[in-house]
């Protein structure tokens, strides 16, 4: 997933655990790639960090609707 590095760069330094978890969930997981992406979108939307979510959705706009669910 090409956007993985861009997302990690957009995260603040204190989010080191999140950076490590991204690698674990997105790159080394046994999850189906679509399920892993859905988990990433949900987690990023839940953080409220618009910068990080924008980086992800720019690379994978097909998941934009998933990110908007439950967000007004």
């Amino acid at each position: 997933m090409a956007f993985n590095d861009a997302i990690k760069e957009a995260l603040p330094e204190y989010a080191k655990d999140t950076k490590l978890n991204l690698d674990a969930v997105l790159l080394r997981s046994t999850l189906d790639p679509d399920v892993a992406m859905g988990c990433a979108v949900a987690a990023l939307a839940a953080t409220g960090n618009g910068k990080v979510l924008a980086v992800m959705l720019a690379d994978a706009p097909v998941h934009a609707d998933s990110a908007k669910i439950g967000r007004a």
Side-chain angles (χ1 to χ4, degrees):
M1 296 183 185
F3 63 88
N4 194 40
D5 289 335
I7 290 173
K8 290 193 306 188
E9 288 177 19
L11 288 169
E13 187 60 35
Y14 59 81
K16 183 178 180 181
D17 287 343
T18 301
K19 293 177 184 185
L20 296 173
N21 288 334
L22 275 173
D23 283 341
V25 172
L26 297 179
L27 301 179
R28 297 186 306 270
S29 176
T30 59
L31 292 174
D32 176 82
D34 287 335
V35 173
M37 181 64 77
C39 291
V41 169
L44 291 171
T47 69
N49 186 327
K51 178 181 177 184
V52 174
L53 188 58
V55 167
M56 190 224 180
L57 293 178
D59 193 68
V62 70
H63 298 286
D65 288 338
S66 298
K68 293 175 187 174
I69 293 174
R71 305 291 264 174

